[in-house]
Amino acid sequence: MEIAFYLSGLVAVLATLGVITNTNPVHALLYLIVSLIAVALVFCALGAPFAGALEVIVYAGAIMVLFVFVVMMLNLSDTVEAQERAWLKPRIWLGPSVLSGVLLLTLIAILWLGDGGRVIEGETLTAKAVGSILFGPWLLVVELAAMLLLAALVTASHVGRLSSPAGSAGRREPDARKEAS
Amino acid sequence: MSGVPMEHGLVLASILFALGIAGLICRRNMVFVLMSLEIMLNAAALAFIVGGTAWGQPEGQAMFLLVITLAAAEASVGLALLIQLHHRYKTLDVDAANRMHG
């Protein structure tokens, strides 16, 4: 269990480095899928197999497929890759990387100096306990999550419309007003 | 050695979060910005799972479900905005949309 945790954590960190340093969007997406699957293995190693399965199904399955479809639809060519390579100079990424590295060191120092000492034994928390929490005392939160998803659905279907009749009508409206006056 | 110390899991989550925030600041392509946001949300979910399993309580996994819901909502709205950006400006540079025309 410990070996699984450390190995998959290492894979997750390396794949995430691959995501943020890659210039090709499709390769970066594939690295991100590897990173998510590694995090799912971390969940399984820690004793949360339900969360690991959900991570694979929802994150690596659904959300990443959405990203892949959008990247395919936009038809990003080699010019995008060349532009990314031009933008990704050390002069640009050095400052933010140093700053976030300092923040990371501060966070790790706070974690190390805190009163920890708790050890994760890896006993399995099943989906039954999670379900009885969610549909018992946390029912209102589940309803709120459902409303959030509904709002996201409405927003995405409104914003993502390409040939928007509302936009062209809004553009035509001043002319119509001019003609009316 | 039996078991993983809780700090190691939290350090892994912090490293992933720092990598995500570095990518968010460095990149100008909106696809990479959205991917960095996903990395950061995933790191927060990992911290929830580590806390939940360290205390042996299922609330961590319940919060993980809510984080994954939020990530799905954020990804759908962000990708719709990305399509609009590419449709109007023919580029994925987020700086291209710095003028709000109402």
Side-chain angles (χ1 to χ4, degrees), chain A residues 1-2 5-6 9 12-13 16-17 19-25 28-29 32 36 39 42-43 46-48 50-51 54-55 58-59 63-64 66-67 70-71 73-74 76 80 83-84 87-88 92-93 96-97 100 104 107-108 111-112 116-121 123 125 129-130 133-134 138 141 145 148-149 152 155-156 159-162 171, chain B residues 1-12 14-29 31-32 34-39 41-42 45-46 49-50 52-77 79-84 86-88 91-94:
Chain A
M1 170 208 157
E2 295 86 11
F5 172 79
Y6 290 112
V13 171
T16 309
L17 265 176
V19 174
I20 65 171
T21 57
N22 216 318
T23 53
N24 193 332
L29 269 175
L32 184 53
L36 292 175
V39 172
V42 167
F43 290 167
L46 288 178
F50 179 55
L54 273 181
E55 173 102 4
V58 178
Y59 248 119
I63 300 180
M64 286 305 119
L66 202 65
F67 271 87
V70 167
V71 169
M73 205 175 94
L74 296 183
L76 302 174
V80 169
Q83 196 181 32
E84 279 297 304
W87 278 342
L88 208 62
I92 294 173
W93 59 254
S97 307
S100 48
L104 174 66
L107 200 55
I108 288 176
L111 279 177
W112 224 253
R118 196 169 276 273
V119 173
I120 302 172
E121 302 289 348
E123 73 267 24
L125 286 167
V130 182
I133 281 276
L134 276 180
W138 284 34
V141 185
L148 175 70
L149 276 180
T155 310
V159 172
R161 200 170 34 182
L162 280 187
R171 236 172 268 143
Chain B
M1 165 174 162
S2 70
V4 179
M6 193 179 86
E7 284 82 9
H8 291 186
L10 289 178
V11 164
L12 177 61
S14 332
I15 290 172
L16 288 180
F17 193 86
L19 284 176
I21 205 167
L24 181 69
I25 300 172
C26 292
R27 308 307 287 260
R28 285 169 70 189
N29 193 327
V31 178
F32 289 94
L34 286 176
M35 279 194 273
S36 303
L37 278 174
E38 292 295 323
I39 292 169
L41 276 174
N42 197 32
L46 175 62
I49 290 287
V50 168
T53 49
W55 268 270
Q57 300 292 324
E59 275 92 351
Q61 294 188 47
M63 281 305 292
F64 170 75
L65 268 174
L66 300 177
V67 171
I68 226 172
T69 311
L70 180 67
E74 179 259 339
S76 59
V77 175
L79 288 172
L81 284 172
L82 173 72
I83 291 174
Q84 279 296 327
H86 189 261
H87 182 64
R88 296 194 180 202
T91 178
L92 289 180
D93 186 4
V94 286

